[in-house]
Amino acid sequence: QVQLVESGGGLVQAGGSLNLSCVASGSIIKFTHMGWYRQTPGNQREYVASITRFGTTNYADSVKGRFTISRDNAKNTMYLQMNILKSDDTAVYYCKANEIREVSTDYWGQGTQVTVSS
């Protein structure tokens, strides 16, 4: 069973930075893609950024130019560098990994809270 553990969240002032990490219990090379999502109370989980097995990245318009997603296969870890944080970025951030064998399976972490004070 795949386990994903996020860390790096916290309280930061607007304009500040945070770097989130998502560590997988095994090799991340097997994942077709990995990504970050976020959720605020009463709202649906929304897409933030993703990175494919080959390193191709994609971002939501709301974070483009401020956030950078990356992965280190040797450390089984995915990162989200968040700069120029805004109060609208306040949310619980989740990492997701997708694996395709006979079927496509998504794995989720437990989430890490990011709070941006204005």
Side-chain angles (χ1 to χ4, degrees):
Q1 181 70 15
V2 173
Q3 290 187 326
L4 303 173
V5 179
E6 302 99 332
S7 63
L11 174 64
V12 64
Q13 287 188 334
S17 299
L18 284 174
N19 189 25
L20 304 184
S21 299
C22 172
V23 181
S25 54
S27 173
I28 65 172
I29 295 176
K30 62 177 177 285
F31 299 132
T32 58
H33 62 269
M34 300 180 72
W36 290 95
Y37 291 73
R38 64 188 182 187
Q39 188 171 22
T40 54
N43 294 308
Q44 290 187 335
R45 197 168 293 186
E46 68 172 6
Y47 169 84
V48 175
S50 61
I51 185 167
T52 70
R53 170 185 291 160
F54 306 107
T56 301
T57 60
N58 192 46
Y59 299 91
D61 288 343
S62 59
V63 307
K64 205 170 289 184
R66 300 188 296 122
F67 291 9
T68 302
I69 188 171
S70 61
R71 58 192 287 172
D72 186 334
N73 292 339
K75 295 183 178 180
N76 299 330
T77 303
M78 177 180 64
Y79 303 96
L80 185 67
Q81 176 66 44
M82 305 187 294
N83 298 326
I84 317 175
L85 283 161
K86 306 175 182 179
S87 56
D88 287 348
D89 295 319
T90 295
V92 177
Y93 283 71
Y94 298 89
C95 70
K96 188 187 87 168
N98 174 263
E99 182 180 16
I100 297 177
R101 291 187 174 181
E102 293 80 12
V103 296
S104 176
T105 303
D106 289 332
Y107 302 98
W108 290 91
Q110 83 290 348
T112 185
Q113 176 71 47
V114 171
T115 303
V116 183
S117 63
S118 57

